[in-house]
Amino acid sequence: MTANPNAQSAELGKALDEERKRRAAAEEENRKLSQELLQAAQERQELLNLYVASLRLHSSLDRADVLAGIQEIVINIIGSEELGVYELSEDRKSLRLISAFGLENDALDRIPLGKGPIGQAAQKGEAVVGDTADDSHLTAVVPLKVGDDLIGALAVFRLLPQKGGLLSANDRELFELLGTHGAIALHSSSRAGGNGSQG
Amino acid sequence: MMGRKKILVVDDSSTTRMLEQMILAKGAYQVVTAKDGEEAVRKARVETPDLILLDVIMPRMDGFEALRRIRAADVKTPIIMVTTRGEAVNMEQGYASGCTEYVTKPIDAVELLAKVKDCLGQ
């Protein structure tokens, strides 16, 4: 019996179509898996950043070391080499610069509470991140609070060029961590009498 | 069974050393650390690591100088610069001084691990 060439051709075409569909489905599955893997890697990185930052902040009761830790987190994990850490004065009327990296503006040494973007954000007790509407290259102001009690502020200026001017969701989480855990670590080190104040 | 690859992590920031150690833990590497360029030059000879991750801005001796001294001592270990210095001129300086790869901070764990594996031929 001779096979019908037309029927054979139709069957071959059908098989090829099914193979194409299987391949397309496999490629789609691979694409989804790759995306999930990338997402998992991203989430792992973010958790790792937060974990390391938290560990660093609470690894010391020495005030200078806590301030160094805050600097290291901003420089190496968030990505900015211009920052200042401020402490609220005893009369609670001004912010005094106690630790800085890459700042050259003397006017930033002492800031009246409520004045300028740094003083205002501190007074309100609300972080301003990425939208400071200011020409001083200010990227973020994070009030340092122990509970509801303001003890100072962190000001972060220009980001590293490779950041492309962009803050990630993880950067914002790190700012939040610095505002709470950074404040607690700084407060604890001051109470423990570790090394006095700087600046 | 082959021994674990040894990686020398050099950075004056304890935050970065901790972060890199945790990233490398995923690859089951043995990690030794140094806090500045001088210690890096010494440990590059004494510890004979399979790979060095080297920061640039450090006290006492910066990463570029440490790199030059390590190469001058005929240590051919692959070296990845890991630094905040992301300008092209810095990268050129790194490669001219003998680094194998150049990675900028903030560290991307996936990128770093890929370069580590590449440098170790894994």
Side-chain angles (χ1 to χ4, degrees):
Chain A
M1 183 176 149
T2 309
N4 182 341
N6 287 339
Q8 276 185 338
S9 175
E11 270 181 33
L12 190 60
K14 194 177 167 189
L16 276 172
D17 276 348
E18 281 172 9
E19 182 55 31
R20 280 194 201 101
K21 280 179 193 165
R22 268 199 296 273
R23 193 172 290 179
E27 280 172 4
E28 177 61 15
E29 187 67 19
N30 274 341
R31 194 185 60 77
K32 278 185 189 167
L33 280 172
S34 298
Q35 273 184 342
E36 282 172 15
L37 272 175
L38 270 176
Q39 173 120 16
Q42 181 70 28
E43 283 169 7
R44 183 181 183 276
Q45 164 107 49
E46 290 175 2
L47 286 173
L48 192 59
N49 286 345
L50 288 167
Y51 177 67
V52 168
S54 177
L55 215 55
R56 179 65 179 91
L57 288 172
H58 297 297
S59 65
S60 175
L61 278 176
D62 180 274
R63 184 176 159 91
D65 195 35
V66 170
L67 287 167
I70 292 172
Q71 283 195 3
E72 287 177 12
I73 291 162
V74 173
I75 295 168
N76 296 287
I77 303 187
I78 294 173
S80 167
E81 290 186 315
E82 292 179 20
L83 69 132
V85 181
Y86 291 87
E87 186 174 57
L88 188 62
S89 61
E90 282 186 14
D91 62 9
R92 304 185 69 82
K93 287 181 178 170
S94 63
L95 295 164
R96 186 174 61 97
L97 190 67
I98 54 170
S99 167
F101 192 93
L103 294 188
E104 289 170 0
N105 187 351
D106 291 343
L108 295 169
D109 286 356
R110 188 175 282 272
I111 298 171
L113 199 62
K115 296 284 182 190
I118 298 172
Q120 283 173 12
Q123 189 176 47
K124 286 182 188 166
E126 291 170 10
V128 180
V129 179
D131 185 25
T132 54
D134 180 73
D135 60 0
S136 62
H137 303 292
L138 194 57
T139 291
V141 184
V142 182
L144 301 175
K145 291 165 72 177
V146 178
D148 289 331
D149 195 16
L150 181 75
I151 66 158
L154 166 68
V156 176
F157 295 83
R158 258 185 293 240
L159 295 171
L160 293 171
Q162 56 265 34
K163 294 275 290 182
L166 296 176
L167 287 169
S168 66
N170 192 225
D171 292 332
R172 292 168 192 273
E173 288 172 332
L174 286 160
F175 281 132
E176 205 175 310
L177 182 93
L178 287 166
T180 51
H181 288 254
I184 291 167
L186 199 54
H187 186 62
S188 302
S189 68
S190 301
R191 287 176 67 91
N195 208 34
S197 65
Q198 286 189 330
Chain B
M1 180 178 155
M2 284 178 64
R4 289 191 300 162
K5 297 283 187 185
K6 188 194 280 187
I7 300 178
L8 172 59
V9 167
V10 186
D11 204 301
D12 61 318
S13 152
S14 64
T15 307
T16 303
R17 291 198 304 273
M18 207 188 305
L19 187 62
E20 289 181 5
Q21 275 183 286
M22 288 186 187
I23 290 169
L24 294 171
K26 197 165 185 271
Y29 300 109
Q30 183 190 350
V31 176
V32 286
T33 61
K35 294 174 185 172
D36 58 51
E38 278 184 15
E39 196 181 354
V41 173
R42 188 170 52 79
K43 287 195 171 171
R45 285 192 293 248
V46 175
E47 295 281 352
T48 58
D50 297 290
L51 174 69
I52 301 171
L53 303 186
L54 185 59
D55 183 25
V56 171
I57 311 296
M58 293 184 289
R60 298 211 291 175
M61 183 192 297
D62 72 27
F64 289 136
E65 181 58 26
L67 177 56
R68 276 189 289 273
R69 291 194 189 194
I70 289 168
R71 292 300 185 229
D74 208 27
V75 174
K76 294 185 170 61
T77 309
I79 296 177
I80 303 177
M81 305 299 285
V82 184
T83 172
T84 55
R85 294 285 171 264
E87 310 277 344
V89 64
N90 304 124
M91 292 188 192
E92 282 165 18
Q93 191 180 355
Y95 285 116
S97 304
C99 82
T100 317
E101 284 286 357
Y102 198 99
V103 172
T104 55
K105 296 177 184 175
I107 295 169
D108 179 323
V110 173
E111 180 195 14
L112 182 64
L113 271 179
K115 292 205 170 175
V116 164
K117 284 180 182 171
D118 193 40
C119 284
L120 292 172
Q122 294 175 320

